[in-house]
Amino acid sequence: MTLSDKPRVLVVDDEPMNVELLQAYLSEDYDVLPAYNGLDALNIVFNDSPDIVLLDVMMPDMNGYQVCEKIKNSETTQFIPVILVTALSGREDRLKGVESKANDFLTKPVDRLELEMRVKSLLRIKDLHDNVIMERDQAQNYLDVAAVMMLALDCSQNITLINKRGLEILGYEESEVVGKNLLEQFIPVSSRSEMEIHFLNSVNTSGAGSTYYECPVITKNNEERIVNWYSKPLTDERGKVIGVLFSGQDITIRKKTEEKLRERTYAMEASVDGMAILDERGVYSYVNAAHARIFGYDNPEEIIGNKWAILYNPSEIGLFNSTILPEFKKKGKWQGELVGRKKDGTILFHEVSLTALDKGLISVVRDISRRKEVESQLNDYAAQLKSSNELKDLFTDILRHDLLNPAGVVKGFTDMLLNEENDENKKYKLKLIDSNVTRLIEMIESAAKFAKLEDTDKLEFKPMDIGLILRNVAEEFKPQLAAKNITLDMKAPGNYPAVINPLIDGVFINLISNSIKYGPSDSVVTVDVQDLGDEWKIIVSDKGEGIPDKDKVLIFNRFQRLAEKRKAVKGSGLGLAIAKRIVELHGGHIGVHDNPAGKGSSFWATVKKA
Ligand code: ADP
């Protein structure tokens, strides 16, 4: 091995003197490697790759032709120029030399000038050749590292060359691809005719390349990859088309991403929420249809390209910049309510959620005008409720002062008349007036209290006999019972002491009155009291239509009347609700079940024993 940059000449001759002579001629410009037999020469050729070989023909072990042939038949050394140096100058010998692929001949005795010229010119040719090889290798390297898939096809669409990237994409070894028909083996059936058109176009428009086009390939795993192709005819030195070069990029991932993006855009388009993207200058770069509609625009295009001031008044923008923007910048998001300006100039309450993007932000908007409207309706309603409470208070005062007074007057005069009256018949009637007016006064007082009642603390309870109350109530229904020829079967003969408020008779009045109202003529209404241990259970049963199961709870709600009965019987739908309230204020329960005696219903209420 030599360190100099001089070209290296291998001089082979079995006669050392000859080697020395050539060495003397050449050593100024070249490094000379000496060899004295064919075998040594070949060793040097294969191991040190000299730039040129001067080879003696007549050698004892192996003649020069044989050595030359070996050099020329090896792929790695075939391009090393060989000059045969021979004393033989016959035609026969020259032919042998040509056959052994020697590049040139020198006749012994070697002329120095001629030697130098031959060596120089052959080295120049080798240099040129080396450059070509280097360029070819560079091109090959380039092809291999290229991110682009490259395929050369002959005119029958068979692959003659494929680069590394191409093999990576297809997932095959080179040997599995080269020689195969591109269309038949690697292009899905549905895309073959299109690919063929591009192939034929390239073949026919020699010189011009095609435009880019997409066509899938099938990989070894039977996967389809989308390739963005470009094809160009390949021509020989005379311009004749000898095939087509296809280059292509695998754009499957890009395509899929684009698809996802498109889906997302569809989703944004279809969203009922308004969605918009603003760039860092506050200009709308994307607006979906809902967003445009919410702000009263027919078309997103009317907003896109405009600053956000188009949808907000300066005061709102000022407020946003001073109070919201700092928080948004810190957290990268913000959610709240803003007041926008619609296309027609009216204001728009909306909920906004802002999320920062790399540059700009995404805004999701929901119209809350309707909610605001409902909110304000609710506020009005609350105000009405407040004034209705005030009305109730007023009504209670009317009960107390304006009704109680005349009732008191009636009672006072009745008492006076009772004292003065001697006629028993008149006395009986006056007593009836008196007892009723007493009950009226009690009722007014209780009702006034009840109206203002918020908790049981304000209600006064005292021990009273439920049996007595029931019998009194029953007595009062005599006219109604008679009118429908209904018998009231009072099964509560004894005493049933309970801690109650006189209001409780309102419950029994309601239950008995309903059973007469909704019970058939000529039937029986039963009133019963059962002992439940701590409580009395009062049951009023009739033989009417009964209450369907689905309504058994509902009828105790205010204003709840059952449709079929509404027409036939007068009522307010308040009675059972009041009864329930009274029973609950007593710590009891109320309900209804089907009359066990058959047709009709049994209404019941419980009260605590004394
Ligand atoms: P109303 O003033 O309408 O009678 P209630 O609150 O007392 O109001 O009763 C509510 C509804 O329950 C009635 O409209 C009726 O449909 C039904 N109802 C009440 N009691 C009976 C009953 N004994 N038999 C059948 N239906 C009844």
Side-chain angles (χ1 to χ4, degrees), residues 394 396-407:
L394 180 68
T396 314
D397 289 341
I398 292 172
L399 272 181
R400 222 183 253 287
H401 303 115
D402 303 351
L403 290 185
L404 213 50
N405 271 342

Side-chain angles (χ1 to χ4, degrees), residues 562-578:
L562 303 186
E564 325 76 77
K565 313 229 171 66
R566 225 182 270 170
K567 294 172 204 140
V569 184
K570 275 189 187 165
S572 63
L574 253 176
L576 284 176
I578 291 174

Side-chain angles (χ1 to χ4, degrees), residues 35 59 98 132 187 197 240 296 333 388 395 417 435 466 532 559 571:
M59 285 184 295
V98 171
V132 170
I187 305 291
I197 292 172
K240 184 171 167 276
K333 56 185 178 201
S388 86
F395 180 65
L417 282 175
S435 76
I466 298 273
L532 297 185
F559 308 117

Side-chain angles (χ1 to χ4, degrees), residues 510 514 517-518 542 547 555 560-562 571-573 575-576 603:
N510 180 259
N514 276 350
K517 274 200 296 186
Y518 300 108
D542 62 60
I547 311 284
I555 47 167
Q560 198 74 46
R561 303 199 68 217
L562 303 186
S572 63
L576 284 176
F603 282 82

